[in-house]
Amino acid sequence: MSLKLDSPVQTQTVVGILKNPLTGEHHGNHSEGKQPAGRRRVFVQTETGCVLGMELDRNDNVHTVKRRLQLVLNVPTEESSLTFGDMVLKNDLSAIRNDSPLLLTRKQMHRSSSTPCLSPTGREIQPRDRSGPIEILGHSDRFVGTRLLVKEIVKAIKIGVDPIPVHSGLGGAYYFRNSRGESVAIVKPTDEEPFAPNNPKGFVGKALGQPGLKRSVRVGETGIREVAAYLLDYDHFANVPATALVKITHSIFNVNDGVNGDKPSKKKLVSKIASFQQFIQHDFDASDHGTSSFPVAAVHRIGILDVRILNTDRHAGNLLVRKLDGAGRFGQVELIPIDHGLCLPESVEDPYFEWIHWPQASVPFSEDELDYIENLDPVQDCEMLRSELPMIREACLRVLVLCTIFLKEAASYGLCLAEIGEMMSREFRGGEEEPSELEVVCIEARRLVSEREVYSPKSEVRDDDFQFHIDTEDLDWDFMTRSSSYFSMANGNGRNPLSRLEESVEEEKESESEEDGEDDFPESIPSISMISMSLKGTRLQEKSHKFHGAKPENGYGSSGHRSANEQLPTSVSFVKLADMPEDEWTVFLEKFQELLYPAFAKRKLVTVGQRQRQRLGSSCQF
């Protein structure tokens, strides 16, 4: 029977490391860190979630890899693409590191419920697999504890201690246990995320690599972000549990059977790529406990991490609370932040910071916290992530750089955590979503860069260079390429809406602005009165809540699964960073930093009038 890569059926069989598939010879995994010279091990994941292990020789290229996969999956090489992060591999594989996950996709996707099952050809492949049940993808020194945990779990699996599915949440997750039956790790397969092909809770409808729950976070890539958050939490500053990306094999994992509707396929060993996080014993989460007892330092440290990584989903439910027992520690608790899969979006998004309403966030940073922030190096952070997670997209790294710079400058200026969070968060006025103060600064910085007119014309980007385009089908205008023309049309008089004056603030605070050193700024930098952070009366983008495509009756597809296209309204993206060439990106950061100080001064003026305002917050509802 012919095998179709675009089949929604994902019968995932563990496939051995292919040494020379053309001759039928198979090869087991080498001991960790002892790959022969010139050889690399990679894991190729299809868009339906099937994971195949493979060893690359020094002379291998994309064509030879596809030839090997063609023998296993019967996929015509001319109809598939091999991608590595945001890089579509043409022929050269020199950029691929050992243990890297690659994604194999069809160039023209067509889905049909009548297509046959996806399974390797040849019964001899499965018995020859000698790979371990759990393999860590990466060699960071910070994974030492995780490796010990993996050995403990593998030992338990061998004596029959099976993992337990997690029934809460939108995605597939599993508690893996030790030999005593205690949950010690939580595993989240990338192909079981919300809207991914093998989601066990009915939220399906998209392929790996397409825009997901957040349009700037692609399906199948939240696990990478979970690991990134852990690696960026230097010195365990925010208390993020140890997290690694793994290739993991077990029969517990979900595989949707598209032929038989909701009927699950017969359980067999399935190999998947997943995030693997240490499970921390706790008493409850922040939604079940009064926040007044939370330590100021713990809230600050989690908030500092959230700002750096632009966490779009920090609610009380993903802040675990553990009571600290012992003499003199009555009532004291420890906070453990989890679920960082929606951080580091590909564009500047609207974050959700639950702590923004807590009184601890209004307490000034301590000297230790200020020292920690001052020593942050976003350039070094990016190099570290490229080394440990080479598949991470450059757009995500730019967001990390931007937010880290913003945090460092804001803390240096004297802003507290709540003020920083407020500047990053959007407001809804009259049913419309307005850009945050941070986004407005970015918009103005882009305008100043475009006015320089010193850059050569941008080369056209071919459609086949990118597998999916985030947000382009939903925006009424492409802000990044038409910002100047939009600003001239928005008011009808060619005036930049960012330059609107707020007369009341300007008249009442003129003397304070002079004392704040406004006159010390270069003439090319707009004053705080020139950058209207509230953008009153300005409609940059009307927030649309329309649904895409026809909505099936009762909101369900014919297979009983809920379609991804029916779940989320259109998102708004005011600021994108990925489209800038490197030289323009450098100039943008310079302008961005120059514009921050007028913005900080204005925020201070606004905050003075809000000191007595009671902060009331609530968790995100999903």
Side-chain angles (χ1 to χ4, degrees):
M1 181 179 291
S2 175
L3 301 173
K4 304 294 184 181
L5 181 62
D6 57 356
S7 169
V9 184
Q10 296 108 45
T11 304
Q12 298 172 306
T13 305
V14 180
V15 179
I17 304 298
L18 306 180
K19 180 179 181 181
N20 189 356
L22 300 178
T23 62
E25 183 180 1
H26 302 276
H27 185 68
N29 287 342
H30 293 285
S31 300
E32 186 176 340
K34 296 182 180 180
Q35 292 286 100
R39 299 185 67 84
R40 290 161 293 168
R41 178 182 60 176
V42 298
F43 296 97
V44 182
Q45 185 177 32
T46 71
E47 60 181 350
T48 52
C50 179
V51 177
L52 303 99
M54 174 181 299
E55 280 190 3
L56 301 180
D57 289 321
R58 178 176 299 175
N59 297 325
D60 282 339
N61 54 35
V62 171
H63 180 69
T64 57
V65 169
K66 288 183 179 180
R67 283 286 307 277
R68 297 177 189 180
L69 295 172
Q70 182 177 10
L71 292 178
V72 178
L73 299 175
N74 194 23
V75 181
T77 58
E78 66 275 6
E79 297 181 10
S80 62
S81 296
L82 201 62
T83 61
F84 180 53
D86 50 2
M87 179 192 310
V88 178
L89 300 174
K90 300 299 183 181
N91 192 53
D92 183 30
L93 293 175
S94 60
I96 306 304
R97 296 169 57 88
N98 191 43
D99 287 346
S100 294
L102 309 180
L103 181 62
L104 182 72
T105 61
R106 289 293 294 269
K107 290 183 178 179
Q108 294 181 347
M109 289 175 293
H110 173 72
R111 300 188 178 279
S112 171
S113 60
S114 63
T115 49
C117 296
L118 171 65
S119 58
T121 58
R123 296 181 179 179
E124 75 282 356
I125 293 180
Q126 183 176 352
R128 305 295 294 272
D129 180 27
R130 300 183 182 91
S131 58
I134 306 176
E135 298 185 28
I136 297 177
L137 310 186
H139 301 285
S140 172
D141 293 338
R142 298 184 61 185
F143 295 149
V144 172
T146 303
R147 291 190 178 94
L148 296 177
L149 194 60
V150 164
K151 292 180 180 179
E152 191 176 354
I153 292 174
V154 170
K155 180 180 178 181
I157 292 175
K158 289 180 179 179
I159 63 175
V161 181
D162 291 327
I164 303 172
V166 179
H167 298 292
S168 60
L170 299 180
Y174 305 87
Y175 291 126
F176 275 69
R177 302 183 290 173
N178 60 18
S179 56
R180 297 183 296 276
E182 302 167 335
S183 297
V184 293
I186 182 168
V187 172
K188 301 178 183 178
T190 58
D191 67 318
E192 296 187 26
E193 295 177 6
F195 305 149
N198 286 325
N199 181 274
K201 298 170 183 177
F203 293 97
V204 297
K206 294 193 176 185
L208 299 178
Q210 285 186 311
L213 195 61
K214 290 276 186 179
R215 295 198 61 80
S216 56
V217 177
R218 300 174 191 250
V219 175
E221 297 185 5
T222 63
I224 298 173
R225 291 166 166 82
E226 295 263 18
V227 180
Y230 168 67
L231 293 175
L232 289 170
D233 185 24
Y234 300 120
D235 302 324
H236 212 49
F237 186 74
N239 211 20
V240 177
T243 313
L245 200 66
V246 299
K247 175 254 185 182
I248 186 166
T249 303
H250 203 278
S251 61
I252 189 77
F253 296 132
N254 184 69
V255 177
N256 289 327
D257 189 339
V259 173
N260 299 315
D262 292 333
K263 182 180 178 181
S265 61
K266 183 179 179 180
K267 290 296 184 181
K268 60 179 66 177
L269 286 178
V270 176
S271 184
K272 298 194 176 188
I273 292 176
S275 64
F276 179 99
Q277 185 172 86
Q278 179 186 6
F279 177 75
I280 305 296
Q281 295 293 337
H282 57 282
D283 297 287
F284 31 72
D285 62 49
S287 63
D288 299 325
H289 191 274
T291 61
S292 60
S293 64
F294 295 164
V296 173
V299 174
H300 282 190
R301 291 179 173 215
I302 292 171
I304 289 170
L305 176 67
D306 287 341
V307 169
R308 289 173 62 201
I309 62 179
L310 192 60
N311 194 348
T312 64
D313 189 35
R314 173 63 72 214
H315 57 84
N318 54 39
L319 278 176
L320 306 182
V321 182
R322 181 167 59 182
K323 295 180 180 179
L324 298 177
D325 300 325
R329 309 183 79 173
F330 177 76
Q332 294 186 20
V333 298
E334 177 185 21
L335 299 182
I336 301 103
I338 60 171
D339 293 344
H340 298 99
L342 295 180
C343 71
L344 294 176
E346 292 185 35
S347 59
V348 180
E349 284 276 351
D350 181 30
Y352 185 84
F353 299 143
E354 179 83 3
W355 42 256
I356 202 173
H357 307 285
W358 298 350
Q360 294 93 329
S362 295
V363 176
F365 289 120
S366 67
E367 290 299 324
D368 289 342
E369 292 160 355
L370 290 174
D371 289 342
Y372 183 89
I373 294 173
E374 183 180 4
N375 290 327
L376 292 174
D377 186 343
V379 176
Q380 182 178 331
D381 291 344
C382 291
E383 292 303 318
M384 181 273 295
L385 289 181
R386 289 190 189 100
S387 175
E388 298 296 338
L389 298 171
M391 73 295 297
I392 195 167
R393 300 179 184 271
E394 285 298 314
C396 305
L397 298 181
R398 286 190 173 183
V399 169
L400 173 64
V401 170
L402 185 81
C403 292
T404 303
I405 291 175
F406 179 74
L407 170 66
K408 290 169 68 71
E409 298 292 348
S412 176
Y413 189 85
L415 268 60
C416 65
L417 181 61
E419 292 170 325
I420 295 172
E422 287 172 351
M423 291 189 69
M424 301 178 73
S425 302
R426 297 176 184 173
E427 291 186 10
F428 285 86
R429 299 193 180 190
E432 296 177 5
E433 187 173 2
E434 297 184 355
S436 65
E437 298 172 37
L438 170 62
E439 289 174 305
V440 171
V441 173
C442 292
I443 291 170
E444 182 68 3
R446 296 266 346 218
R447 187 186 67 82
L448 293 176
V449 171
S450 66
E451 288 180 351
R452 290 170 58 94
E453 297 180 352
V454 296
Y455 303 107
S456 58
K458 297 181 181 179
S459 59
E460 294 183 359
V461 180
R462 297 185 304 173
D463 290 340
D464 59 358
D465 286 341
F466 296 92
Q467 180 185 353
F468 300 107
H469 297 273
I470 289 183
D471 284 338
T472 54
E473 70 273 23
D474 297 325
L475 295 181
D476 294 332
W477 44 273
D478 184 353
F479 175 79
M480 289 298 110
T481 59
R482 296 190 285 160
S483 58
S484 298
S485 60
Y486 172 77
F487 286 143
S488 63
M489 292 184 296
N491 294 334
N493 57 5
R495 252 186 105 191
N496 181 355
L498 303 177
S499 301
R500 292 189 174 190
L501 302 182
E502 293 189 52
E503 303 296 343
S504 58
V505 174
E506 185 178 18
E507 293 173 1
E508 295 175 7
K509 303 299 181 179
E510 183 176 1
S511 59
E512 290 92 336
S513 299
E514 294 177 355
E515 292 175 1
D516 287 338
E518 182 179 330
D519 294 337
D520 294 335
F521 294 116
E523 293 180 359
S524 61
I525 304 175
S527 64
I528 58 174
S529 61
M530 293 177 63
I531 304 180
S532 175
M533 297 305 174
S534 62
L535 289 181
K536 293 181 179 178
T538 302
R539 296 174 59 180
L540 282 181
Q541 170 71 32
E542 184 175 351
K543 185 174 179 64
S544 171
H545 293 279
K546 64 183 178 181
F547 291 95
H548 299 285
K551 188 174 182 179
E553 186 177 358
N554 299 328
Y556 291 89
S558 58
S559 66
H561 290 308
R562 286 160 283 185
S563 170
N565 294 329
E566 302 155 18
Q567 301 300 318
L568 296 178
T570 304
S571 61
V572 180
S573 179
F574 294 116
V575 178
K576 294 183 181 179
L577 306 174
D579 64 323
M580 285 183 281
E582 198 64 32
D583 55 349
E584 186 175 341
W585 166 246
T586 301
V587 178
F588 167 80
L589 288 179
E590 294 175 357
K591 295 298 181 184
F592 173 75
Q593 288 181 270
E594 292 173 355
L595 291 168
L596 286 178
Y597 291 97
F600 294 154
K602 183 173 180 63
R603 166 48 55 180
K604 277 294 187 183
L605 295 178
V606 172
T607 305
V608 168
Q610 298 177 341
R611 289 300 186 188
Q612 303 304 318
R613 185 181 68 180
Q614 184 178 9
R615 299 185 183 278
L616 300 174
S618 60
S619 297
C620 290
Q621 301 297 322
F622 293 101

